[in-house]
Amino acid sequence: MKKVILLAAVAFGVMSAQAQQAVEVPKLTDNLSVTVKGGLIAPMSGGYDFIDDMRGIFGAEFRKQVTPVYGIGVEGDFSLKTGSLAKYSGTNINHLYVGLFGTANLFNLIDGYKADRKFDVETVVGAGWLHAFVPWYSSGVYDAKGTDGWDKNGLAVKFGLNLNYNLNQQFTVSLKPAINWGVLADAQSAWPAVDKRANFELQAGLTYHIGKKGFNSVKPYDQAEVDALNKQINDLRAQNNACNNNVNALKSQVAKLQAELEECKNAKPVEVVKEVTAEQQLSTVRYVYFRKGSSKIAADQKPNVEMIAAYLKSHPKATVSIKGYASPEGSKEANEKIAAARANAVKTMLIKTYKVKADRIKAEGQGVGNMFEDASWNRVSICTLENAK
């Protein structure tokens, strides 16, 4: 039997430990409540009748819920002078009780804290001062007025339950069965619940929760999760270092391209135009100009191409050499590409539009031109007619 009890206690302890949750530490003013209560109290020992000596009891509690499981508080009760015990009191009150108590929420202990739980059960343990109003007794006669009597004081302990139904965040109604047991009293005491006599209480209470009620759950510390997060942080740092290395490599590439650009700007232009007389230029050289960044022949330049075609048709043995140029903007590679495209644009129009044979046309790009002072004029294809005679 002892082994069964021990195993049950261990199992309950493990279950309770697993149900506990980490919560934020509340403020001092959180989870405060005040309760008003009332009901019946009846003696359970000392030769008194449970039903006949039953009387009304009323009281109040002030409480602080320290954790989701445990709470502490102070309470006060008094019973009325009714029934057969009325003759033993010289006042309208039979007894007063003031004490401290602690509570343990069994549902939160076993199942873990839930803010929206409607019903829960608490155990209550308390201790306090018990005062009984007792008249003088002499020769079998009680002094009902108590003029010659004395009152009794004692230490009492209390064990009970709170069966709570939570109406909302502000109000809770409870059924409060308990046993109040006097364990230490004055000499010659003969009063219920004083001098090791017990009373049974059954009260109903209405609780008002002051300010914030409840607890904020927090995730408990998990070493495995922390290790995983540290690994993730280290991986992100490695990725960041790799990105920094890529940035440095790109900066080096940019610096290299800038150096090449400066080299192109400072390079001596290639001499591409032969010296010809003004008369020769007028009769054998035609210019086709282009817009910036374009190799398309604009409408206002097509007459120049038509003049070249007309000349070639009227001189069957003549050929044309087309050299395309670019202005100095842009990279060397881009300028070479667009210069060749401008030469081929004139060649293509001569072949497709004016049906000039391809073997009479030579087209090539010359890169950046420097024939004219105005840079925009160097966006040109220079067409030189040869063997015209």
Side-chain angles (χ1 to χ4, degrees):
M1 184 64 181
K2 291 182 178 179
K3 290 182 178 180
V4 173
I5 295 174
L6 178 60
L7 290 175
V10 171
F12 181 77
V14 171
M15 180 175 60
S16 299
Q18 291 176 342
Q20 297 306 300
Q21 296 168 283
V23 295
E24 292 180 354
V25 177
K27 296 188 296 184
L28 186 62
T29 56
D30 291 341
N31 296 312
L32 297 176
S33 62
V34 60
T35 302
V36 292
K37 56 185 179 177
L40 299 173
I41 183 172
M44 298 176 63
S45 62
Y48 297 95
D49 186 87
F50 185 85
I51 299 298
D52 291 341
D53 295 328
M54 187 179 294
R55 56 204 187 278
I57 184 172
F58 301 92
E61 300 174 1
F62 183 77
R63 173 174 164 180
K64 164 75 173 179
Q65 190 70 26
V66 181
T67 72
V69 174
Y70 301 109
I72 57 174
V74 60
E75 65 175 328
D77 293 318
F78 68 92
S79 64
L80 300 177
K81 183 183 68 174
T82 58
S84 63
L85 291 176
K87 64 181 180 178
Y88 298 139
S89 179
T91 69
N92 290 324
I93 297 175
N94 280 151
H95 89 280
L96 292 174
Y97 171 79
V98 177
L100 301 175
F101 66 89
T103 62
N105 190 307
L106 298 181
F107 281 23
N108 288 345
L109 179 66
I110 296 172
D111 190 39
Y113 172 70
K114 296 179 181 178
D116 58 350
R117 180 177 281 129
K118 283 293 185 182
F119 179 76
D120 56 54
V121 178
E122 296 175 316
T123 60
V124 182
V125 177
W129 170 70
L130 182 66
H131 179 80
F133 297 88
V134 182
W136 179 262
Y137 176 79
S138 177
S139 302
V141 179
Y142 288 94
D143 182 359
K145 295 182 180 180
T147 54
D148 297 321
W150 71 94
D151 295 336
K152 293 297 181 181
N153 297 290
L155 175 65
V157 294
K158 185 175 183 178
F159 303 94
L161 294 174
N162 288 336
L163 310 178
N164 300 323
Y165 182 78
N166 300 300
L167 298 175
N168 50 45
Q169 287 295 313
Q170 271 66 52
F171 291 98
T172 298
V173 293
S174 306
L175 189 63
K176 297 172 170 288
I179 294 176
N180 192 317
W181 188 26
V183 297
L184 182 63
D186 294 337
Q188 300 178 346
S189 174
W191 191 250
V194 180
D195 192 18
K196 302 181 181 179
R197 289 180 174 86
N199 281 303
F200 174 75
E201 300 176 4
L202 181 61
Q203 300 192 67
L206 176 64
T207 300
Y208 174 72
H209 299 277
I210 304 169
K212 180 183 176 182
K213 176 190 175 186
F215 297 84
N216 294 325
S217 298
V218 296
K219 195 170 185 179
Y221 178 85
D222 186 342
Q223 184 61 48
E225 185 176 0
V226 172
D227 292 340
L229 289 174
N230 284 333
K231 182 180 181 302
Q232 186 176 358
I233 290 171
N234 291 332
D235 291 343
L236 291 173
R237 286 175 176 170
Q239 293 177 19
N240 184 61
N241 291 335
C243 290
N244 289 335
N245 293 335
N246 290 336
V247 169
N248 293 332
L250 292 173
K251 287 181 178 179
S252 299
Q253 186 176 356
V254 169
K256 181 179 178 181
L257 292 173
Q258 287 178 338
E260 291 178 357
L261 177 61
E262 292 299 322
E263 182 180 354
C264 291
K265 289 181 178 180
N266 297 328
K268 184 178 179 180
V270 180
E271 296 291 338
V272 294
V273 181
K274 297 179 180 179
E275 292 186 4
V276 294
T277 63
E279 183 181 353
Q280 289 175 323
Q281 285 187 339
L282 289 173
S283 61
T284 62
V285 179
R286 294 291 182 269
Y287 300 90
V288 180
Y289 293 97
F290 295 84
R291 291 185 173 84
K292 184 177 180 180
S294 175
S295 60
K296 182 179 179 181
I297 299 174
D300 61 346
Q301 297 298 311
K302 289 181 179 179
N304 295 334
V305 181
E306 185 177 359
M307 291 174 65
I308 296 169
Y311 188 92
L312 292 173
K313 286 183 179 180
S314 61
H315 298 78
K317 295 183 179 181
T319 61
V320 61
S321 175
I322 306 171
K323 295 184 178 181
Y325 297 91
S327 57
E329 300 90 354
S331 66
K332 179 180 178 181
E333 180 181 0
N335 287 331
E336 290 177 350
K337 184 176 180 180
I338 199 168
R342 286 167 176 169
N344 287 320
V346 178
K347 179 180 177 179
T348 300
M349 180 172 282
L350 287 172
I351 293 172
K352 292 185 176 181
T353 304
Y354 300 104
K355 310 304 179 184
V356 178
K357 293 183 178 181
D359 59 356
R360 299 179 66 188
I361 306 169
K362 180 181 179 182
E364 57 184 1
Q366 299 296 309
V368 177
N370 195 27
M371 299 78 64
F372 303 103
E373 182 176 351
D374 190 332
S376 63
W377 284 32
N378 291 305
R379 303 176 197 132
V380 66
S381 286
I382 299 177
C383 308
T384 304
L385 297 165
E386 299 175 345
N387 299 322
K389 295 181 179 179

